[in-house]
Amino acid sequence: MIASLGCAMALAGALSAHAAGQSEADAARDIERQPVQVVVKAHDLDLTSQDGSATMLQRLSRAAQEACGASSFSVPDYRWAVKRSDCYRGSMSRAVADLGAPAVTRLYEEHPVLASN
């Protein structure tokens, strides 16, 4: 599914680039620069509680890993490397800040290792 979606996006970018007079290589670079968005559910959690905040950090961590190129199917060493990447750290920081839940932010700042589990 992901490969098909990526191919469809690249094809759509190449077609629109051709129509706009942009090269396929430039269109591909434009697509690569688009941020990856992963939906994270929070409606079932109490983000003011310790348990709800910890669960939210775990969900954000999985989403950040996915956005940075790892999945639950990736080998452990690759997931470990992604969790130590600038992509992951930046994704987590932005996600926690965008969430705007003080208890989650406090837990993340006090125990960032919880998010990497």
Side-chain angles (χ1 to χ4, degrees), residues 57-58 60-66 68 79 81-94 108 112-117:
L57 282 177
Q58 291 170 349
L60 290 174
S61 177
R62 284 191 298 272
Q65 289 178 66
E66 184 179 328
C68 295
R79 287 194 310 269
V82 167
K83 287 181 186 179
R84 279 132 190 93
S85 71
D86 290 339
C87 175
Y88 176 84
R89 286 190 299 273
S91 295
M92 284 298 296
S93 294
R94 282 188 304 277
Y108 178 65
V113 73
L114 287 176
S116 64
N117 290 335

Side-chain angles (χ1 to χ4, degrees), residues 8-87:
M9 288 174 48
L11 180 58
L15 292 174
S16 63
H18 179 69
Q22 183 182 27
S23 76
E24 289 181 24
D26 289 338
R29 279 189 285 280
D30 287 345
I31 289 170
E32 272 187 12
R33 287 187 206 109
Q34 297 299 315
V36 175
Q37 294 182 348
V38 179
V39 175
V40 179
K41 295 179 184 178
H43 68 278
D44 60 330
L45 300 175
D46 175 4
L47 297 181
T48 62
S49 74
Q50 180 82 10
D51 288 344
S53 296
T55 299
M56 189 66 206
L57 282 177
Q58 291 170 349
R59 289 179 184 180
L60 290 174
S61 177
R62 284 191 298 272
Q65 289 178 66
E66 184 179 328
C68 295
S71 75
S72 60
F73 299 108
S74 298
V75 295
D77 288 346
Y78 186 72
R79 287 194 310 269
W80 181 87
V82 167
K83 287 181 186 179
R84 279 132 190 93
S85 71
D86 290 339
C87 175

